[in-house]
Amino acid sequence: MNSQSFDDWALERGQDPVKMVGHSPRNDPGGKVLPSSPYLLLGSTEAYSGKSALTLGIAQYFQQQGLQITYGKPLGTCFEEGPIKPGTVLIDEDVRFIAETLNLSDEQRYPTLVMLDPTSVQRRLAQVDSTDYLAQLQQYRDRPPGDIALIEGAGRLVDGQVFNLDLPQMAAALDAPVLLANRWSETGSVDSLLAAQQALGDRLLGVVLNAIPRTEIEHVRETLVPFLEVRGIPVLGLLPQSALLRSVSVTELVSRLNAEVLCCRDRLDLMVESLTIGAMNVNSAMEYFRKGRNMAVVTGGDRADIQLAALETSTQCLILTGRVAPLPQIISRAEEMEIPILSVQLDTLTTVEIIDQAFGQVRLHEIVKAQYVSRLVREALDFQRLQTLLGLPAIATAS
């Protein structure tokens, strides 16, 4: 919908664009807009829906248009493992990455108030921690928000209730409209978004549907979008499924697998998009590997034939199980091809399960993803409509 205004899109379908967006003034680009808030709260209906990517893409676009951005994540959800000691300065890893990518100063970054980690939750349940975090959140108002303050919520609407920092509570405390990221599901998106609308009311500014298979985008545009619009839920963007955004770095796999790096330590920034298990004969493996792209290949340390075959295809890392060291010629060839080899003290099934989980819980912590997100969000989001709903000054259409 980026190349066509919402009004034109609605009129093409014989619809009144004002009626299509429902009765909520905040959601009515054809009528009056509620007094603009300097805050935009970004949330999601479930974890790993692309919320941080959406936040970064919007921030980069506004920065390119000359707007002053401030950013914060009151409830931290991305932290180093281990207990967090009272008094520790809290820095959510998502906040660190986004702030560095946007070159934000300390004054442009709001503090994280509390981490949603097991230790902090237990302290709250035991009533050791009685902090009024909602009052602390209202202190965000004491810091100049710039032209727009982007405030990121946790993974789900209900996350943070134990600290009085769930998404509806934060939206009310900041008097902020909410833009939701929703990981598209043919059976689940509608119900989750209608439930979100019920919880947020008029504060729901709109939604962005993410990770839609490219073959399904037109179907979603023609069926789901009108359904939601009629019910007062503006759809501001349809983002296609991306293998790159779902990918995981070799560094992340090393961490999750507690792996030993046998070679090419300087290539751990390679991104893995798919997983292949090398457990067949070498002829079948070679045919199978040629169909893959940017793979992590898991195979036994004693399968030199499979290892060599993997190194000749689109492999980003070779993961060896079974506590068997690879032959010297394998290491030599991997170094020539600049493909890291990892050795793990795990069986193949456990290794595969851990890697599969990594693909499902990918965070936006790599520059290559940030660069891709900027382009993807720019192309897919209706920024003119977002600007109108937010009551921001006119923004020139990006070329």
Side-chain angles (χ1 to χ4, degrees), residues 85-322:
K85 297 179 181 179
T88 301
V89 177
L90 304 177
I91 302 179
D92 181 280
E93 292 302 314
D94 286 342
V95 173
R96 187 196 305 275
F97 178 78
I98 289 178
E100 289 177 354
T101 303
L102 297 174
N103 293 316
L104 298 181
S105 66
D106 290 342
E107 290 72 26
Q108 293 175 289
R109 186 175 66 186
Y110 293 98
T112 294
L113 303 179
V114 63
M115 289 290 186
L116 190 60
D117 71 298
T119 300
S120 299
V121 171
Q122 286 302 316
R123 285 174 50 82
R124 191 71 167 183
L125 296 179
Q127 302 183 56
V128 175
D129 176 13
S130 59
T131 305
D132 187 348
Y133 289 107
L134 203 57
Q136 288 193 357
L137 178 66
Q138 290 174 331
Q139 294 176 15
Y140 272 35
R141 293 174 175 271
D142 297 334
R143 180 175 298 192
D147 293 309
I148 182 73
L150 302 178
I151 308 299
E152 188 176 347
R156 303 176 300 162
L157 270 68
V158 299
D159 287 346
Q161 280 191 1
V162 69
F163 301 111
N164 297 323
L165 286 177
D166 66 20
L167 199 68
Q169 288 171 311
M170 287 197 290
L174 295 172
D175 189 24
V178 177
L179 180 63
L180 285 180
N182 174 264
R183 185 169 58 189
W184 181 82
S185 165
E186 188 172 4
T187 57
S189 286
V190 174
D191 286 342
S192 61
L193 290 172
L194 292 176
Q197 183 188 40
Q198 188 174 29
L200 294 166
D202 286 349
R203 296 191 189 281
L204 179 57
L205 185 80
V207 302
V208 175
L209 302 177
N210 190 25
I212 307 172
R214 293 182 184 273
T215 56
E216 297 291 328
I217 286 182
E218 285 307 311
H219 172 71
V220 172
R221 193 190 308 277
E222 297 296 329
T223 56
L224 180 57
V225 171
F227 179 89
L228 294 174
E229 293 279 359
V230 166
R231 285 155 181 79
I233 304 178
V235 180
L236 301 183
L238 304 178
L239 274 62
Q241 195 174 64
S242 166
L244 175 60
L245 292 183
R246 186 178 177 271
S247 65
V248 59
S249 68
V250 178
T251 296
E252 180 72 11
L253 293 182
V254 170
S255 175
R256 287 177 179 253
L257 295 168
N258 193 25
E260 179 186 359
V261 181
L262 302 183
C263 71
C264 304
R265 184 173 290 277
D266 61 334
R267 298 292 286 159
L268 301 185
D269 59 342
L270 292 173
M271 303 303 297
V272 174
E273 297 180 6
S274 61
L275 170 64
T276 301
I277 305 171
M280 64 288 284
N281 67 62
V282 67
N283 291 331
S284 299
M286 198 64 184
E287 181 179 353
Y288 190 48
F289 291 162
R290 284 172 178 159
K291 297 177 182 178
R293 172 182 166 83
N294 296 335
M295 304 175 292
V297 176
V298 178
T299 191
D302 58 345
R303 292 299 306 270
D305 54 346
I306 297 293
Q307 295 161 24
L308 283 172
L311 293 174
E312 301 303 322
T313 56
S314 182
T315 297
Q316 301 290 71
C317 71
L318 192 57
I319 302 174
L320 307 184
T321 63

